Amino acid sequence: MRILATLMLCLGFFASSFASDPKVTNTQRALDRLIAHPDREDRFVIVDHLSSEKFVQFDFEDDEVVIDLPILALVGAEQERAAVLFASVWVRRPSMVTEASEAGEAPTFATYRLGFGKNSASAAAFAARVFKEVYLLPPDARFVVTEGE
């Protein structure tokens, strides 16, 4: 219980430190819509830095917003930086996820996942940390937020 309280305090700090960033605000609004409509089939949000093809994605499962950062999307030192960032919030290793496909195959891949309950501000702030600390993108980088299509 003490660890959970510490984690929520840390995530709240990160959310407040990124609150004035328009990228975070746009992401938070999209996540708020995701939370408000949990019955939608297309329950995801993707935040893209188009020129570098770097992204983070969110889904809504078990009544919480979950950030999902596939290992396949990370190159070189990004994998190490992602491990450090996620370890800072007690996610020690990526999860193994099996995804059904229309071809009947069920590929399994590794992905970092972290749940935020319904706290869209903390989720959006953590996405900003991924872009800053894992992808090393500049503060003035421009992003596109896509909601379930």
Side-chain angles (χ1 to χ4, degrees):
M1 188 66 167
R2 178 185 260 165
I3 291 175
L4 180 60
T6 303
L7 175 62
M8 294 310 292
L9 180 64
C10 289
L11 292 175
F13 168 76
F14 293 126
S16 64
S17 65
F18 287 99
S20 62
D21 186 337
K23 294 180 290 286
V24 174
T25 303
N26 292 340
T27 302
Q28 183 177 350
R29 286 182 187 140
L31 293 173
D32 286 338
R33 287 187 290 274
L34 183 72
I35 293 166
H37 303 285
D39 53 336
R40 287 181 15 195
E41 282 187 38
D42 54 351
R43 298 180 306 173
F44 66 86
V45 170
I46 298 174
V47 184
D48 283 296
H49 181 252
L50 296 178
S51 61
S52 69
E53 299 183 358
K54 301 301 180 187
F55 69 93
V56 296
Q57 56 194 20
F58 295 92
D59 58 20
F60 191 78
E61 63 182 46
D62 299 328
D63 210 32
E64 75 173 332
V65 173
V66 178
I67 192 168
D68 180 8
L69 184 64
I71 296 297
L72 292 173
L74 304 173
V75 295
E78 291 172 351
Q79 289 185 8
E80 189 173 311
R81 291 191 297 266
V84 169
L85 175 60
F86 278 85
S88 75
V89 291
W90 297 284
V91 176
R92 300 286 178 216
R93 66 180 68 86
S95 303
M96 297 307 290
V97 176
T98 301
E99 200 171 86
S101 72
E102 292 177 15
E105 300 172 13
T108 299
F109 59 94
T111 185
Y112 283 103
R113 294 180 62 76
L114 178 62
F116 294 90
K118 293 183 179 178
N119 190 333
S120 61
S122 291
F126 193 81
R129 289 187 66 198
V130 170
F131 284 111
K132 179 181 177 184
E133 298 174 34
V134 175
Y135 294 137
L136 303 179
L137 294 177
D140 62 344
R142 298 182 60 91
F143 298 89
V144 173
V145 178
T146 305
E147 299 177 53
E149 291 182 351

